[in-house]
C-alpha cells in the first residue's frame, strides 16, 4: 500500500475542481493547475458515476495525513477487560474477540479495494493531462483568482476543492467556450473511448450501491396445505416421473441459485488469497476448509426442495459488494448435471454436480457426485468433493437433515486437509460436529479444526485428538454463521438466499431468456400466487420431458464444455461479454410454450 499512496501523493496537486455542464447532461469538466479537461459520457447516469467517484476520491485523500488506513489496528484489550469484570467466561470473551477481528479484517479488505479504485481514477486523470489531449492553455478562466503553488497543494489536499452545478456555472461555461481564440478548438473527449476500463470500473462502483431486499414479497393468496397421504393414494400405480408435485414442496429458488448460495461466505476465499499472497500457506488452507464447511450452514431448517432447472436454464449472480461473479447452467438432464463457475478477488471456483438418491422409506439419502476446484491467481489449487446428506422423517415427525462423511481437501503444494462430518445418532446430544486436521506433504499434522457445520469453525495450532472445553481458550475462530433474517417464512431462507431471485432495478433487461429469475412458476411461488405457480409448473414439466430427446438429437450446453482430461464441465467464456451488449441471439426461450424454440435448441452446436 506504500506504493499506492506514493502514487496518490503525486496527483494531489492535479485536480483543483470539477464541474457538471448545465446545458448538456452528459458533459463535465475537470480543472487542473494547467489544463481544463472537457469530458463527455455516454449518458447522464455515467456522468453521475464520474462525479460521485471524483467527490469521494477527494474525501478519501484527506486520509493521507494519517498513516495508510489499511494498516490500522484494532485493540480488544478494553473490551476483554470489561467482559471479564462482568463475569463473562474466558471462552466467550475469546469468541467475541475473534468475531470482532474477523469483521475488522473484512472491512480492511474492502477499504483496500476502495483505495485502489480511487487511486486508479486519479491516475487516469493524470494520464489524460500528460497526454496533452486538451488544447487549452489553462484551466483557470480569465479574470479568476490564480492560486499560488502552496495553495495548489492545499487544493489538492481537498482544502478548497469543490464542484458546482449552479446556474451561474452554466453562464461561466458559455463564457469559457466563447473566450477560446479562433485558433483554438474545444474538444470533448468521450469517456468510454478515453477510459474504457475506468468507465467499466465506475459502473461497477455504482452497482456496488445496490440495496438488496430484506424479505420476500407478501403472498398474494393464502396458501393451501397438501394432504401427503391423499397425494400418494391418488398416484398409486402411476409413473412417478410423470407426476407433477405441487409447488407446496418447493422453495422459490432453483438448484442453480442454490449453488451460488454456497458462496455466501466467499470472504473466506478472499482472506485465503491474501494470506497466501503474504506467504502464510497454513492460514490459506484453514480459510479454504472453513469455506468448504460454511456451504452447509444454510441447509438447517430448509425443508422444501429447490426447483429442478430446465435443460439449458442458467443463472447469473453479479455481487460487486462481495467482489464475486457467478454463473451456472444445467448442462445435462439425463443424468442431471449442473455446472458452475465463479470468480472473486484473486481466485476462481468451478465444478459440476450430480446427485444419486436412495429412498429408505422414512428418509432419503443424497450422495453428491463431482469435484469442486478452487484455484488462486498464484497457481495454488485445492479440490474436494461434498459429503453425503440424509433427510429424515419424511412421513412422520419433524423433518431434518444431516451431513456426514469424510471430506478430503487436496492441495497441489504444501498442505492438504481432512474433515470428518460426524453422523448424527438418535441420542446425540451434540449433533452436526465437524473435526479435522491440516497436514503437509510428509503427512505431518500442523493444525486441528473443529466446530459445527450449522454454526462455526475453529482451529488450534498443533494436534488435539479430542477437543474439550478447556481447549477452547486457545482456539481461534475461522467462521461464524450469519444471523437469520427478521422476517422468517416457512421456507427458512437466509438473508442471502432472499436476494438470489430478486430482480433489482434494470437487471431484467440485461438477462438472457434462460435465467432462473425469469422462470414463471418460481416467480409466481415467490409472489404467493399458488394456483398460477402450479399451472406453470405443470406446463414447464411437460416441456422438460422433451429434454431427453433434445440431448439425443445432439443438444449441447451453450456456456460449458466437458474437459477431456478431468471429465468436468468447464466454463468456455463469453457470457459476460454477451451480457454487456445484451446480445442473446441463439439463446432459446426455454420458459415459453412447448412449441417455441425447440428447433433452435436442437440445432445449436
Amino acid at each position: 500500500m506504500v506504493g499506492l499512496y506514493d502514487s496518490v501523493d503525486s496527483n494531489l496537486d492535479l485536480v483543483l475542481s470539477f464541474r457538471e455542464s448545465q446545458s448538456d447532461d452528459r458533459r463535465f469538466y475537470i480543472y487542473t493547475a494547467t489544463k481544463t479537461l472537457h469530458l463527455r459520457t455516454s449518458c447522464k447516469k455515467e456522468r453521475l458515476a464520474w462525479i460521485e467517484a471524483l467527490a469521494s476520491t477527494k474525501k478519501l485523500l484527506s486520509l493521507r495525513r494519517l498513516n495508510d488506513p489499511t494498516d490500522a489496528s484494532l485493540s480488544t484489550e478494553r473490551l476483554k477487560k470489561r467482559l471479564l469484570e462482568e463475569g463473562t467466561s474466558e471462552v466467550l470473551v475469546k469468541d467475541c474477540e475473534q468475531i470482532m477481528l474477523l469483521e475488522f479484517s473484512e472491512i480492511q479488505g474492502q477499504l483496500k479495494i476502495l483505495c485502489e479504485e480511487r487511486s486508479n481514477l486519479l491516475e487516469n486523470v493524470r494520464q489524460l493531462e500528460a497526454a496533452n489531449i486538451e488544447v487549452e492553455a489553462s484551466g483557470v478562466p480569465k479574470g479568476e483568482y490564480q492560486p499560488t503553488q502552496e495553495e495548489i497543494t492545499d487544493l489538492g489536499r481537498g482544502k478548497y476543492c469543490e464542484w458546482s452545478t449552479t446556474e451561474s456555472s452554466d453562464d461561466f461555461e458559455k463564457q469559457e467556450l466563447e473566450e477560446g481564440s479562433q485558433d483554438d478548438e474545444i474538444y470533448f473527449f468521450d469517456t468510454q473511448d478515453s477510459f474504457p476500463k475506468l468507465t467499466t470500473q465506475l459502473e461497477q462502483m455504482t452497482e456496488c450501491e445496490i440495496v438488496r431486499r430484506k424479505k420476500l414479497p407478501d403472498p398474494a393468496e393464502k396458501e393451501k396445505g397438501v394432504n401427503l397421504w391423499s397425494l400418494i393414494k391418488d398416484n398409486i400405480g402411476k409413473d412417478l416421473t410423470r407426476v407433477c408435485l405441487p409447488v407446496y414442496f418447493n422453495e422459490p429458488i432453483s438448484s442453480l441459485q442454490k449453488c451460488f448460495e454456497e458462496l455466501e461466505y466467499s470472504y473466506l476465499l478472499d482472506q485465503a488469497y491474501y494470506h497466501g499472497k503474504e506467504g502464510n500457506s497454513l492460514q490459506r488452507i484453514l480459510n479454504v476448509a472453513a469455506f468448504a464447511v460454511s456451504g452447509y450452514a444454510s441447509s438447517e431448517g430448509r425443508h422444501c426442495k429447490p426447483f429442478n432447472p430446465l435443460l439449458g436454464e442458467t443463472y447469473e449472480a453479479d455481487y460487486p459488494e462481495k467482489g464475486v461473479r457467478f454463473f451456472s447452467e444445467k448442462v445435462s438432464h439425463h443424468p442431471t448435471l449442473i455446472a458452475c463457475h465463479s470468480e472473486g478477488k484473486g481466485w476462481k471456483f468451478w465444478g459440476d454436480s450430480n446427485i444419486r438418491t436412495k429412498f429408505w422409506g422414512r428418509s432419503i439419502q443424497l450422495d453428491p457426485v463431482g469435484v469442486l476446484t478452487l484455484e488462486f491467481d498464484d497457481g495454488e489449487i485445492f479440490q474436494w468433493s461434498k459429503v453425503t446428506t440424509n433427510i429424515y422423517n419424511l412421513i412422520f415427525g419433524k423433518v431434518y437433515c444431516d451431513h456426514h462423511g469424510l471430506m478430503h481437501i487436496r492441495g497441489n503444494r504444501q498442505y492438504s486437509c481432512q474433515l470428518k462430518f460426524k453422523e448424527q445418532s438418535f441420542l446425540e446430544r451434540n449433533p452436526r460436529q465437524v473435526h479435522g486436521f491440516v497436514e503437509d506433504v510428509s503427512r505431518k499434522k500442523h493444525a486441528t479444526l473443529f466446530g459445527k457445520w450449522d454454526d462455526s469453525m475453529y482451529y488450534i495450532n498443533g494436534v488435539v485428538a479430542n477437543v474439550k472445553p478447556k481447549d477452547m481458550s486457545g482456539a481461534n475462530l475461522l467462521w461464524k454463521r450469519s444471523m437469520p433474517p427478521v422476517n422468517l417464512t416457512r421456507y427458512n431462507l437466509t438473508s442471502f438466499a432472499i436476494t438470489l431471485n430478486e430482480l433489482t432495478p434494470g437487471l431484467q433487461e440485461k438477462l438472457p431468456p434462460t435465467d432462473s429469475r425469469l422462470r414463471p412458476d418460481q416467480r409466481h411461488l415467490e409472489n404467493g400466487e399458488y394456483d398460477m405457480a402450479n399451472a406453470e409448473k405443470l406446463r414447464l414439466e411437460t416441456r422438460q420431458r422433451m429434454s431427453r430427446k433434445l440431448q439425443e438429437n445432439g443438444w449441447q450446453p451453450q456456456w460449458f464444455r466437458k474437459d477431456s482430461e478431468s471429465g468436468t464441465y468447464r466454463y468456455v467464456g463469453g457470457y459476460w461479454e454477451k451480457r454487456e451488449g445484451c446480445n442473446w441471439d441463439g439463446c432459446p426461450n426455454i420458459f415459453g410454450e412447448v412449441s417455441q424454440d425447440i428447433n433452435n435448441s436442437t440445432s445449436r452446436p
Side-chain angles (χ1 to χ4, degrees):
M1 290 301 293
V2 174
L4 167 63
Y5 274 87
D6 286 345
S7 172
V8 172
D9 282 346
S10 68
N11 291 288
L12 285 176
D13 60 350
L14 176 63
V15 178
L16 303 186
S17 64
F18 44 92
R19 182 171 52 79
E20 298 170 291
S21 168
Q22 289 295 298
S23 59
D24 186 336
D25 61 11
R26 296 184 300 151
R27 287 201 320 237
F28 67 102
Y29 311 92
I30 298 178
Y31 299 99
T32 75
T34 59
K35 304 286 182 188
T36 296
L37 306 180
H38 298 252
L39 297 171
R40 179 184 287 119
T41 60
S42 61
C43 62
K44 183 177 181 180
K45 181 180 178 181
E46 187 181 318
R47 184 182 75 170
L48 177 63
W50 272 86
I51 294 299
E52 289 178 347
L54 286 165
S56 58
T57 298
K58 283 296 183 182
K59 292 179 181 178
L60 182 66
L61 290 181
S62 65
L63 295 174
R64 70 179 299 278
R65 298 179 182 178
L66 306 173
N67 293 327
D68 183 348
T70 61
D71 288 339
S73 59
L74 175 68
S75 173
T76 60
E77 291 304 314
R78 291 174 60 190
L79 176 62
K80 286 165 61 178
K81 182 179 178 182
R82 182 78 176 101
L83 290 173
L84 291 171
E85 287 175 353
E86 292 294 324
T88 308
S89 69
E90 290 189 9
V91 174
L92 186 56
V93 170
K94 185 75 174 178
D95 252 10
C96 294
E97 180 184 28
Q98 291 298 324
I99 291 172
M100 287 186 64
L101 292 174
L102 256 176
E103 292 292 329
F104 182 70
S105 174
E106 187 175 354
I107 292 172
Q108 272 191 312
Q110 293 172 353
L111 181 57
K112 182 177 181 180
I113 293 170
L114 182 62
C115 289
E116 290 172 349
E117 288 175 343
R118 306 310 188 191
S119 178
N120 288 340
L121 177 63
L122 278 188
E123 176 61 21
N124 277 278
V125 173
R126 185 195 66 76
Q127 290 175 2
L128 181 60
E129 185 192 32
N132 224 1
I133 66 171
E134 171 56 57
V135 297
E136 287 190 29
S138 174
V140 183
K142 295 177 182 179
E144 290 287 310
Y145 171 69
Q146 301 286 330
T148 65
Q149 182 60 41
E150 180 180 356
E151 288 168 328
I152 288 175
T153 303
D154 284 336
L155 284 162
R157 295 178 190 274
K159 187 174 180 181
Y160 299 111
C161 178
E162 61 183 14
W163 79 94
S164 172
T165 58
T166 62
E167 292 300 323
S168 59
S169 70
D170 197 38
D171 295 336
F172 166 75
E173 173 189 338
K174 294 177 183 177
Q175 176 189 351
E176 182 183 69
L177 294 176
E178 291 170 357
E179 288 179 349
S181 70
Q182 293 181 352
D183 296 329
D184 291 337
E185 185 177 356
I186 300 298
Y187 295 95
F188 285 92
F189 291 89
D190 192 299
T191 54
Q192 181 65 50
D193 294 339
S194 303
F195 309 115
K197 184 176 179 181
L198 180 59
T199 301
T200 301
Q201 290 175 347
L202 287 171
E203 289 172 352
Q204 291 174 347
M205 287 157 56
T206 303
E207 289 174 359
C208 284
E209 299 171 6
I210 294 174
V211 178
R212 303 195 186 272
R213 65 186 182 185
K214 306 297 183 184
K215 62 187 289 292
L216 295 178
D218 293 327
E221 306 168 8
K222 185 176 180 180
E223 189 171 23
K224 301 173 184 177
V226 173
N227 188 319
L228 184 59
W229 282 113
S230 177
L231 183 67
I232 295 173
K233 176 174 65 68
D234 292 343
N235 290 286
I236 291 176
K238 294 183 180 179
D239 182 356
L240 293 181
T241 62
R242 295 183 177 277
V243 174
C244 180
L245 294 176
V247 293
Y248 178 83
F249 295 103
N250 290 98
E251 59 184 9
I253 62 174
S254 74
S255 295
L256 297 169
Q257 295 165 311
K258 189 85 170 174
C259 288
F260 180 55
E261 188 179 1
E262 295 185 7
L263 274 82
E264 176 176 359
Y265 303 98
S266 61
Y267 71 85
L268 292 166
L269 299 184
D270 300 340
Q271 292 176 177
Y273 168 69
Y274 289 120
H275 283 308
K277 195 174 180 181
E278 294 167 358
N280 195 335
S281 299
L282 180 59
Q283 277 295 323
R284 170 173 280 188
I285 193 169
L286 286 170
N287 277 271
V288 170
F291 169 78
V293 175
S294 70
Y296 292 94
S298 62
S299 63
E300 170 60 19
R302 300 278 283 277
H303 305 145
C304 297
K305 72 184 213 62
F307 279 84
N308 180 23
L310 304 186
L311 185 65
E313 187 171 334
T314 64
Y315 176 70
E316 70 158 63
D318 187 5
Y319 278 58
E321 67 270 33
K322 296 172 71 69
V324 174
R325 264 186 173 182
F326 171 92
F327 181 73
S328 57
E329 179 181 12
K330 184 172 181 179
V331 296
S332 173
H333 187 62
H334 294 284
T336 297
L337 273 176
I338 290 173
C340 70
H341 179 89
S342 184
E343 297 184 8
K345 302 167 187 174
W347 53 266
K348 294 179 181 178
F349 177 74
W350 70 85
D352 58 34
S353 63
N354 179 23
I355 295 179
R356 294 174 181 166
T357 61
K358 296 177 183 177
F359 184 61
W360 300 108
R362 294 180 59 187
S363 66
I364 188 170
Q365 180 176 315
L366 310 175
D367 294 309
V369 179
V371 177
L372 302 175
T373 301
L374 171 66
E375 181 178 7
F376 291 100
D377 284 359
D378 57 18
E380 187 164 18
I381 297 173
F382 296 97
Q383 292 184 313
W384 67 92
S385 297
K386 297 175 73 67
V387 298
T388 297
T389 296
N390 280 80
I391 303 174
Y392 298 97
N393 295 339
L394 294 177
I395 307 298
F396 297 108
K398 183 180 179 181
V399 178
Y400 71 96
C401 72
D402 185 38
H403 310 288
H404 60 89
L406 184 65
M407 178 184 286
H408 191 179
I409 305 174
R410 298 173 174 84
N412 67 339
R413 292 186 181 172
Q414 185 178 4
Y415 293 115
S416 295
C417 177
Q418 287 194 29
L419 295 170
K420 182 178 181 180
F421 287 65
K422 185 179 178 182
E423 186 170 7
Q424 183 174 338
S425 64
F426 184 69
L427 298 176
E428 181 65 63
R429 291 187 175 183
N430 192 20
R432 303 159 189 158
Q433 293 184 63
V434 181
H435 186 274
F437 53 83
V438 173
E439 62 180 11
D440 60 24
V441 291
S442 66
R443 307 298 296 272
K444 179 182 177 182
K445 295 179 175 62
H446 291 264
T448 302
L449 297 100
F450 60 95
K452 294 185 174 185
W453 52 259
D454 68 329
D455 182 67
S456 56
M457 286 296 294
Y458 297 81
Y459 79 93
I460 298 175
N461 289 317
V463 182
V464 181
N466 295 304
V467 179
K468 299 178 179 178
K470 65 177 182 179
D471 300 316
M472 290 297 294
S473 59
N476 301 281
L477 181 69
L478 283 168
W479 160 73
K480 181 75 174 177
R481 180 185 180 184
S482 299
M483 294 294 291
V486 176
N487 303 294
L488 278 175
T489 67
R490 76 174 184 88
Y491 305 116
N492 283 326
L493 298 181
T494 64
S495 297
F496 182 58
I498 287 173
T499 69
L500 300 184
N501 200 48
E502 181 182 12
L503 282 168
T504 52
L507 177 60
Q508 185 166 350
E509 294 75 16
K510 301 177 181 178
L511 295 175
T514 54
D515 194 273
S516 292
R517 295 179 184 87
L518 306 180
R519 180 168 174 158
D521 53 353
Q522 186 173 302
R523 181 61 60 188
H524 286 312
L525 177 61
E526 179 182 281
N527 292 334
E529 299 163 338
Y530 306 111
D531 291 339
M532 295 177 69
N534 278 311
E536 283 295 318
K537 187 170 187 286
L538 177 60
R539 181 181 67 82
L540 292 176
E541 289 193 359
T542 301
R543 178 170 184 144
Q544 178 82 308
R545 295 187 189 106
M546 304 180 67
S547 298
R548 184 189 293 273
K549 183 178 180 181
L550 292 177
Q551 284 188 249
E552 291 173 352
N553 290 342
W555 184 92
Q556 291 292 326
Q558 187 156 2
W559 309 105
F560 290 84
R561 290 290 182 272
K562 183 177 287 189
D563 187 279
S564 57
E565 294 183 7
S566 66
T568 300
Y569 277 89
R570 294 291 305 273
Y571 175 59
V572 295
Y575 176 83
W576 297 104
E577 292 77 10
K578 288 271 190 180
R579 181 189 190 273
E580 187 174 345
C582 293
N583 179 16
W584 300 119
D585 294 341
C587 285
N589 180 17
I590 61 173
F591 305 129
E593 294 302 321
V594 175
S595 60
Q596 291 181 339
D597 295 299
I598 296 299
N599 292 331
N600 291 341
S601 299
T602 56
S603 62
R604 176 158 42 85

